[in-house]
Amino acid sequence: MSISLPVTGAKRRFVVEYPMNASPKILYPYLASAQGLSQWFCDDVRYEPDRRLNFIWDQQNHYAEQVSQRLNRSVRFVFLDERKQLVADASFLDFSLEASEITDEVFLRVTDYSDSMDEDELREMWDGLVGRLRDQVGG
């Protein structure tokens, strides 16, 4: 299921959910740690001072701050400007894990709030990334 809600300005909130064949305890480290994220999400992730992370794609640095987390449930990264400062209406990524007690299904919900991009391109990008994550966790 995918929901894309336009917002004011050039940013867009894109939400997509994926069924996962792994428990939240197995998935969470892949979503919330530099080591886990670097295995599926981008070329490399490095910890920086002051709870900041450096996400590296195509040899370009993208700094973010982890602003919230709930163990085995969710994590949010807010991206910083060129001076590594928080700004109003900043881009963010939110990963949430939902487990159904009735069916034992686990879903990964990705919320990508970023500069406007074609919804089909976003879906294709996230399908590929989550496919890599599934390869890592065996499901």
Side-chain angles (χ1 to χ4, degrees), residues 73-104:
R73 296 285 312 268
S74 65
V75 62
R76 178 174 284 193
F77 300 100
V78 175
F79 287 86
L80 308 173
D81 68 8
E82 310 79 43
R83 298 176 320 231
K84 301 180 188 177
Q85 301 294 314
L86 287 171
V87 295
D89 199 35
S91 297
F92 69 83
L93 282 174
D94 188 275
F95 298 119
S96 300
L97 295 169
E98 298 291 328
S100 170
E101 293 180 16
I102 297 170
T103 64
D104 278 342

Side-chain angles (χ1 to χ4, degrees), residues 104-132:
D104 278 342
E105 290 180 294
V106 174
F107 291 91
L108 168 62
R109 177 181 299 130
V110 176
T111 303
D112 179 339
Y113 181 71
S114 59
D115 293 331
S116 207
M117 192 178 196
D118 180 79
E119 186 170 335
D120 291 334
E121 288 177 20
L122 279 170
R123 174 176 286 288
E124 185 177 320
M125 178 189 79
W126 281 109
D127 286 352
L129 289 170
V130 173
R132 289 175 58 183

Side-chain angles (χ1 to χ4, degrees), residues 37-38 41-48 53-64 79:
L37 287 161
S38 65
F41 183 62
C42 56
D43 299 333
D44 195 13
V45 180
R46 297 183 186 140
Y47 283 109
E48 299 284 325
L53 291 104
N54 180 6
F55 293 85
I56 302 167
W57 287 281
D58 299 324
Q59 299 178 351
Q60 293 184 7
N61 298 319
H62 302 274
Y63 295 94
F79 287 86

Side-chain angles (χ1 to χ4, degrees), residues 26-51:
I26 291 172
L27 288 166
Y28 188 75
Y30 287 92
L31 306 174
S33 72
Q35 181 182 4
L37 287 161
S38 65
Q39 292 183 44
W40 69 276
F41 183 62
C42 56
D43 299 333
D44 195 13
V45 180
R46 297 183 186 140
Y47 283 109
E48 299 284 325
D50 302 325
R51 295 181 19 171

